[in-house]
Amino acid sequence: MDQVICTVDVVLLTLSADGLEVALLRREHAPFKGVAALPGGYIHADADADARDAARRVLRDKTGIEAPYLEQLATFSGAARDPRGWSVSIAYYALVPAAMITQAERSELRLASVDRLPPLPFDHAAIIETAVSRLRSKSQYSSLPCHLLGEAFTLPQLQRVYEMLLGESINKVSFRRKMTEMDMLEPADGQFETAGAHRPAQLYRLKPAFREQLRLLERGL
């Protein structure tokens, strides 16, 4: 009986002024050598405690990034998805600020708009589509978008991220009421952003309890 190929793939998402982007790497080996693809790799049964551990290792080894937030997305499997044979991939998605990708200094790492993907191998386009759909859906009722910002941010910056993901404007008063209701933010002591002649804006950060897990709303934004 042929052995099943077991891998993990990670959809590493970030946000730029142009919109939501995904990190891709050129494959070093066949099949699809030289083609841009998601960071992925085999599960190491002798070293990985579980699939999440494997995803963290693959992301770290291939991109140099330790993502603060990593969530299991879905399992993709079948005989047709990989020319080498029957395979199963446990897909995860991670959210990081754009600066974290820049600081990784990996020349082989490239960003592509999720709306204008290049030709991708395997079923990576479907995996990315699933991750983007999950992100946009959860952005309506959770703290998930916070992970696309740096450690500290202003409320207007956070509101803009929510608006970009949801594709619509949000009333400022309503947004701030929801942030208060979620009780997920705390002031970054003594930290303010100064911009031009405007009054310095208080910087906020996620409370420790919500840096690796989500804060959920009973009713969406």
Side-chain angles (χ1 to χ4, degrees), residues 45-59:
D46 58 341
D48 298 326
D50 50 30
R52 180 184 178 85
D53 194 36
R56 285 194 177 279
R57 172 183 54 77
V58 165
L59 189 61

Side-chain angles (χ1 to χ4, degrees), residues 13 68-69 95-97 143-150 153 158 206 210-214:
L13 295 168
Y69 185 81
L95 307 179
V96 296
S143 58
L144 190 55
C146 296
H147 295 282
L148 290 167
L149 290 165
F153 44 82
L158 181 59
L206 277 171
F210 305 119
R211 291 173 189 170
E212 293 188 7
Q213 65 180 29
L214 296 183

Side-chain angles (χ1 to χ4, degrees), residues 25-210:
L25 290 167
R26 294 204 177 276
R27 286 181 55 81
E28 297 179 349
H29 307 288
F32 307 110
K33 182 177 180 179
V35 176
L38 292 172
Y42 293 107
I43 294 174
H44 294 172
D46 58 341
D48 298 326
D50 50 30
R52 180 184 178 85
D53 194 36
R56 285 194 177 279
R57 172 183 54 77
V58 165
L59 189 61
R60 180 179 61 251
D61 291 350
K62 296 202 171 183
T63 70
I65 291 173
E66 292 270 8
Y69 185 81
L70 182 72
E71 179 181 320
Q72 187 170 324
L73 178 64
T75 299
F76 296 80
S77 62
R81 64 178 302 272
D82 190 322
R84 294 169 294 186
W86 213 101
S87 70
V88 55
S89 174
I90 304 172
Y92 285 77
Y93 72 107
L95 307 179
V96 296
M100 187 175 288
I101 293 180
T102 303
Q103 292 165 3
E105 296 183 344
R106 295 292 179 98
S107 59
E108 66 274 22
L109 194 64
R110 59 170 290 194
L111 292 174
S113 167
V114 298
D115 297 318
R116 297 182 299 278
L117 293 172
L120 298 173
F122 310 109
D123 49 5
H124 286 190
I127 295 175
I128 293 171
E129 181 181 358
T130 303
V132 171
S133 177
R134 174 79 62 84
L135 171 58
R136 295 195 192 283
S137 175
K138 280 196 167 184
S139 294
Q140 299 179 48
Y141 61 87
S142 79
S143 58
L144 190 55
C146 296
H147 295 282
L148 290 167
L149 290 165
E151 182 179 352
F153 44 82
T154 66
L155 289 179
Q157 289 170 343
L158 181 59
Q159 180 174 339
R160 179 57 181 153
V161 169
Y162 272 91
E163 290 175 336
M164 291 180 73
L165 294 176
L166 297 175
E168 60 185 26
S169 297
I170 304 173
N171 177 270
K172 177 181 176 180
V173 174
S174 174
F175 177 78
R176 297 199 174 203
R177 185 185 305 120
K178 287 294 185 182
M179 293 302 103
T180 300
E181 179 184 336
M182 292 176 79
D183 192 28
M184 64 182 184
L185 303 177
E186 62 183 12
D189 292 341
Q191 295 186 43
F192 295 85
E193 181 182 80
T194 56
H198 297 287
R199 186 175 65 180
Q202 173 71 57
L203 291 174
Y204 293 85
R205 62 191 175 202
L206 277 171
K207 290 182 176 180
F210 305 119

